[in-house]
Amino acid sequence: MAVIWRGRAHLFDGETSKPLQIDLSLEPDGLEIHAADVSRFVGHYRRKVLRWLEVREDGLIRLELTAHPGVLLEIQSQEARHFLREHGLDRVHWLPHVSLAAKVSIAVMGLVLFIAGFFLFGLDGFSRLVVKHIPDSVDRELGEKIPSLHLISDTTIGPVTCPDLDSARSKSIALIQSLGAPGLEGLRVEVAPDTSIVNAFALPGGRVVVYTGMLRMLETQQEWLALLAHEVGHVSMRHGMRSMVRSSVLTITAALIFGDAAGLSAFIFDNAQRLTTLKYSRVDEEEADAFASEMLLATGYSTQGLAQLFEKLDRVQEQPEWSAFLSTHPASGERIAAAKAKAVGNKNALSDFLTEAEWKALRSGCGP
Amino acid sequence: MKPMGRFHGTGGELFVLFLKNGFLTLITLGIYSAWGKAALYRFFFSNTEFAGHRFQFTGTGKEIFLGILKAFLLLGAILAGAFALSVVLTFVMPKAFASAVFVTAIYGGIILLSAYSLFASTRYRLSRARYRGLAFRLEGSPWEFTQSVILKVLFCILTLGLYSPVLLHHIKSRLFNQMRYGNLKFAWDAPIKEYWVLCIKGYFLSIFTLGIYYFFWKPQMYTFIRKHLTLGGQRFQGSFTPGQFAAQVFTNIFLAIVTLGFALPWILVRDVQFRLAHLALENPEILEAAVKAEAQKGGATAESLAGIFDMDVGVGF
C-alpha cells in the first residue's frame, strides 16, 4: 500500500491532558498508527472511522477516531496537509458538507423569497388581520400618547378654541358621526394655530389635527368637509394602527436579522412619537378617498370638494409649504381622476352647513 | 519570563472570514450569523497556542442559532411582561407612576439579564473550549451569580461609580475562582483594597494627565490581574512596558485611520498576538497533570443575549 505521508503527531486520549506521542502514516484508504505511548491506539483506521475536524492553512490538522470517543489527533505539518488535499483523504468529511450546503442554500433562498413575498403581498393583509384583534381602546390610548401639539411641531401654543370655532367643529363632527361609520365615537378636531404649516393628519382613536396653514388654503366648506372626511376615513378604517403593525413587523424583522435589540427597544419607547410621521400606504389613501366620497354622497353633500382638494394638491406639487402634507398624501393622477369621476354624478349638492362666522373662525383659527 | 502564548492566525485570514460571514449573513437575512460566529470562535481558538498546544472550539453554529432564537423569545416575553405590568398598574396608580414603574422594570430587567448572560455566556464558551483534549468549565449557577452582583450594581449607581472597582473585582473573582480545566482549579487571589486603589488611581490620574497615565496604568493592571491568577496552584505571569503598550495602541489607531477601518481584522489579530506574547505560567508542567472531569452542558442562549447587549467582558487572557 502506498504511504502518502509518515511522521510524528500528538494524540490526546480525552482522559488526561498529557500529549501522547505517536508515529503515524496517512494512506489513501485511512491512517495507520505504528507506535504510540499507549499501545491500544496502535492499528489501522479506515477512512470511514476518521472524523476530520479541521485542516488549517498553517498546517494544523485535527481529527477524531470514532472508534475511540473523545480521542483527538493533532498533526502539525504543511506537508501532511498538502498530501491530504492532493489525495482527497479529508473529503470523507467534506463531501456530505457540499450537498448539505446546497440544501441549506435552497432552503435559504426559499426563505428569502417567502419573506420578500410576504412583505410585498402579505403584509397588508396580515396587518388587517392583526388590527381586527386589537381593541379600539388601544387606538385611543395611542392617539392620546401625543400629549400636546408642541411635540408634533414647533408650535408652542395648544389647540385654539373660541365659541364660533367650537360650534364649527361640533357641526362638522356631528355631520360625520351621523353616518354611523365604526370607530368614530371619540372623534375630535384640533386646530393648531400655525399658519406656516400646511398639514392635517389623523391620529388613531379619532384625534384629527389641522393646522391653520392648511385651513387658509381651503376655499369652500365642501373642501373642508372633504378633507375632514378623508382624515376621518383613516380613523374609521384604523389605518394608523395598521401602519403601526406594518412598521413593527419591519422593525422586528430588521432587529432579528441584524441582532439589534437597541433598535427594538428604541422602537418600543419611541412609537408614540412615530404616530405623527406615519406614512399610510397607497391602498390606505385610496380607501380613505373612497370613504370620503361615500360619506359626502351619503350625507347629501357634493364630492366636488374632494376633486377640488385634489386639483389643489396637483397644482401645489412644486410649492415647498405644501411639502409636509404632500409627503403623506401624494396627489396621484389616478386619485384626482377617481374623485372627479364621482363628483360628476352628483349635482344636487346641499348648501353650506356652517354659518359665515363659524367658517371664518375655522379658517383663521379664531383669528381676525 | 519566556512567553508561552502564540497566535498563528493572520489578519488576511480573518479579513476573508469577515467578508464571508458578512456576505452569507446578508443573503440569508441574518440566519448565517450563528454559523459565522462559530467560525470566528474556531478561528480564534484553533490559532491560539499556549505552552506548545492549541485550543479548540467544539461549539456548533446550530446550537448558537437555537440560542439566538431562545434569546429573542426570552426578550420578547420580558418586554411583554413589563408591558402587561404597566397596563395593570394604570388601573391602580396614576399613569406617570405606572410608566415610571415600567421603565424601571425594563432597565432592572436589562441589568439582571446582563449579569445572567455574562456568567452564562462565559460558561458556554468555556464549556466548548478544549485544550489538549480536555474541556474547561465554569462552576456555579448564573442565578447565584446574578444575585451576588445585584446589590453591588446598585451601590455603583449610588456612589457614582466609586464602588465599581469592587463590582469588577467581584465579577473577576467569581468567574476566575469558578473556572476549571479538567480537574484543575483556577484561583484569583487579588486583594480587593489594592485592586480598588489601582483602579481609582488609574481613572483619576488618566483624566488629570489627559490620558497619558493610561499608558502606565493599563500595563500595571495587566500584570496585577495575571500575577494573582493561578491554575492548579501555578501562577500566571505577564507584563509589558508602558512603551510597548503605547506603541501597540498608537500603531492600531494609525492603521485604523489610514485604512479607514479596513485594518480591523489585522488590528484584532495584532492585539491577540500582543496579549499572548506577554503571557506565561510559572510551571507549565501542571498543564500535563489535568484529568478529565464531568463535561458541562449549557446552551448558547446567554451567549446570544450577551451578543445582543454587545457585552463581551472576557475573563481576559
Side-chain angles (χ1 to χ4, degrees):
Chain A
M1 187 164 293
V3 171
I4 60 169
W5 182 82
R6 185 165 178 163
R8 297 187 72 79
H10 281 131
L11 183 146
F12 297 99
D13 63 4
E15 296 297 324
T16 69
S17 57
K18 196 171 164 53
L20 304 173
Q21 300 285 337
I22 54 168
D23 175 15
L24 93 167
S25 57
L26 298 171
E27 297 162 1
D29 70 335
L31 68 80
E32 175 99 31
I33 298 181
H34 303 283
D37 290 350
V38 177
S39 60
R40 72 185 167 106
F41 296 114
V42 174
H44 184 77
Y45 297 87
R46 296 175 65 81
R47 280 171 80 140
K48 273 199 294 199
V49 302
L50 305 181
R51 191 168 164 259
W52 299 92
L53 297 175
E54 48 190 342
V55 179
R56 302 202 82 84
E57 297 293 308
D58 64 348
L60 174 72
I61 300 161
R62 275 174 168 159
L63 67 150
E64 286 178 338
L65 307 173
T66 53
H68 301 290
V71 166
L72 179 73
L73 239 149
E74 269 186 16
I75 305 166
Q76 178 70 56
S77 158
Q78 278 293 0
E79 221 183 323
R81 187 180 78 95
H82 288 309
F83 279 127
L84 275 184
R85 284 278 145 93
E86 218 172 281
H87 290 78
L89 188 61
D90 60 337
R91 278 199 215 128
V92 180
H93 177 58
W94 302 117
L95 255 185
H97 258 263
V98 174
S99 72
L100 183 70
K103 279 183 211 159
V104 170
S105 310
I106 293 167
V108 164
M109 263 149 60
L111 191 71
V112 171
L113 282 176
F114 171 77
I115 294 176
F118 174 75
F119 280 111
L120 280 176
F121 307 109
L123 189 55
D124 197 55
F126 176 77
S127 65
R128 280 166 206 263
L129 198 73
V130 172
V131 168
K132 258 190 206 165
H133 295 279
I134 300 174
D136 291 352
S137 55
V138 180
D139 288 45
R140 283 195 287 280
E141 185 88 3
L142 275 174
E144 293 306 323
K145 281 259 152 69
I146 310 288
S148 59
L149 285 170
H150 66 267
L151 282 178
I152 303 168
S153 71
D154 295 335
T155 312
T156 45
I157 319 156
V160 282
T161 176
C162 61
D164 281 332
L165 175 63
D166 291 348
S167 117
R169 289 192 299 186
S170 325
K171 274 190 187 172
S172 308
I173 291 170
L175 192 65
I176 283 173
Q177 279 175 335
S178 68
L179 249 163
L184 302 185
E185 300 79 23
L187 197 58
R188 208 166 91 204
V189 176
E190 279 175 18
V191 173
D194 194 333
T195 49
S196 65
I197 302 173
V198 183
N199 201 6
F201 54 84
L203 294 173
R207 211 170 143 199
V208 177
V209 180
V210 195
Y211 288 88
T212 45
M214 175 59 136
L215 288 164
R216 282 186 185 186
M217 297 286 176
L218 302 176
E219 284 159 44
T220 65
Q221 292 189 22
Q222 289 177 352
E223 281 178 21
W224 157 242
L225 202 57
L227 174 71
L228 188 60
H230 173 88
E231 293 304 335
V232 166
H234 287 310
V235 175
S236 178
M237 284 175 285
R238 304 178 71 190
H239 290 160
M241 191 50 102
R242 252 194 246 168
S243 181
M244 293 265 298
V245 171
R246 280 196 300 265
S247 65
S248 313
V249 173
L250 286 169
T251 311
I252 291 167
T253 311
L256 278 170
I257 291 174
F258 302 110
D260 168 31
L264 198 64
S265 47
F267 170 78
I268 289 160
F269 289 120
D270 298 343
N271 230 343
Q273 236 30 21
R274 281 167 175 246
L275 284 170
T276 59
T277 53
L278 278 184
K279 233 182 185 156
Y280 296 126
S281 73
R282 194 176 50 83
V283 178
D284 289 347
E285 288 302 335
E286 283 169 6
E287 272 186 13
D289 291 348
F291 177 92
S293 283
E294 276 170 37
M295 207 224 67
L296 293 171
L297 287 172
T299 45
Y301 284 84
S302 167
T303 55
Q304 205 77 47
L306 201 60
Q308 283 166 8
L309 193 65
F310 281 129
E311 275 175 342
K312 191 164 281 172
L313 291 184
D314 199 28
R315 282 203 303 277
V316 297
Q317 292 274 16
E318 305 300 319
Q319 297 176 16
E321 65 267 32
W322 279 83
S323 62
F325 190 71
L326 284 170
S327 73
T328 48
H329 295 79
S332 72
E334 290 154 45
R335 288 176 69 195
I336 300 168
K340 268 187 179 168
K342 278 187 183 151
V344 171
N346 178 34
K347 294 216 167 89
N348 307 317
L350 290 179
S351 56
D352 290 348
F353 67 104
L354 300 178
T355 65
E356 195 62 32
E358 286 165 349
W359 177 233
K360 201 180 154 209
L362 179 69
R363 283 195 71 215
S364 63
C366 296
Chain B
M1 181 206 87
K2 190 172 167 281
M4 292 174 188
R6 200 178 145 199
F7 192 72
H8 293 265
T10 63
E13 279 175 78
L14 185 58
F15 182 71
V16 172
L17 193 57
F18 274 160
L19 274 187
K20 183 183 153 201
N21 283 354
F23 176 71
L24 289 175
T25 301
L26 206 67
I27 64 160
T28 59
L29 296 174
I31 294 171
Y32 185 78
S33 68
W35 281 265
K37 200 171 190 183
L40 273 180
Y41 279 144
R42 261 198 302 280
F43 171 81
F44 279 108
F45 279 54
S46 293
N47 283 316
T48 300
E49 181 190 310
F50 188 72
H53 291 277
R54 303 220 208 162
F55 288 80
Q56 185 193 354
F57 180 71
T58 60
T60 63
K62 190 176 145 192
E63 68 187 11
I64 296 178
F65 179 68
L66 292 175
I68 291 175
L69 286 186
K70 279 192 216 159
F72 267 102
L73 284 179
L74 189 66
L75 267 184
I78 289 171
L79 284 175
F83 183 67
L85 178 74
S86 76
V87 170
V88 171
L89 287 178
T90 45
F91 292 110
V92 291
M93 57 171 79
K95 252 189 192 169
F97 280 113
S99 349
V101 169
F102 175 65
V103 172
T104 315
I106 290 276
Y107 282 110
I110 287 173
I111 292 174
L112 281 177
L113 217 54
S114 307
Y116 184 94
S117 16
L118 171 61
F119 186 94
S121 65
T122 309
R123 184 175 67 174
Y124 169 76
R125 267 175 274 180
L126 285 172
S127 71
R128 299 303 187 271
R130 258 203 306 185
Y131 177 67
R132 299 177 182 229
L134 293 187
F136 288 79
R137 58 185 206 288
L138 185 65
E139 292 194 331
S141 88
W143 277 126
E144 195 187 25
F145 173 76
T146 309
Q147 285 164 19
S148 77
V149 155
I150 201 74
L151 262 182
K152 293 188 165 61
V153 173
L154 285 178
F155 273 134
C156 283
I157 300 168
L158 290 176
T159 58
L160 303 174
L162 279 181
Y163 194 75
S164 66
V166 180
L167 171 71
L168 287 175
H169 182 276
H170 173 79
I171 291 174
K172 280 195 160 45
S173 168
R174 275 268 173 157
L175 294 181
F176 280 140
N177 287 318
Q178 286 171 197
M179 260 167 65
R180 305 283 180 267
Y181 168 57
N183 65 330
L184 296 181
K185 289 182 176 180
F186 282 83
W188 198 55
D189 54 9
I192 190 157
K193 209 170 141 188
E194 257 180 75
Y195 185 78
W196 189 85
V197 171
L198 201 56
C199 285
I200 295 294
K201 203 170 110 187
Y203 296 156
F204 286 105
L205 285 183
S206 293
I207 295 170
F208 293 145
T209 59
L210 301 173
I212 295 168
Y213 187 73
Y214 178 79
F215 295 98
F216 293 86
W217 175 46
K218 271 283 153 176
Q220 274 178 36
M221 277 305 262
Y222 185 89
T223 310
F224 180 82
I225 289 168
R226 270 142 203 85
K227 81 175 181 194
H228 287 290
L229 182 65
T230 61
L231 171 63
Q234 300 302 317
R235 236 158 246 290
F236 279 90
Q237 298 165 330
S239 59
F240 44 80
T241 62
Q244 286 171 318
F245 180 61
Q248 176 74 7
V249 171
F250 286 121
T251 313
N252 284 351
I253 294 173
F254 175 75
L255 281 175
I257 292 172
V258 297
T259 65
L260 300 171
F262 271 100
L264 180 71
W266 285 268
I267 291 171
L268 289 174
V269 166
R270 284 189 83 240
D271 263 350
V272 181
Q273 279 167 343
F274 184 77
R275 280 157 181 264
L276 284 170
H278 295 97
L279 186 67
L281 187 62
E282 212 170 39
N283 175 14
E285 305 289 305
I286 190 74
L287 293 171
E288 294 198 359
V291 176
K292 181 186 174 186
E294 203 186 327
Q296 190 170 41
K297 290 205 171 71
T301 310
E303 170 64 27
S304 311
L305 277 175
I308 289 170
F309 291 120
D310 274 340
M311 199 177 52
D312 201 356
V313 193
V315 275
F317 276 102

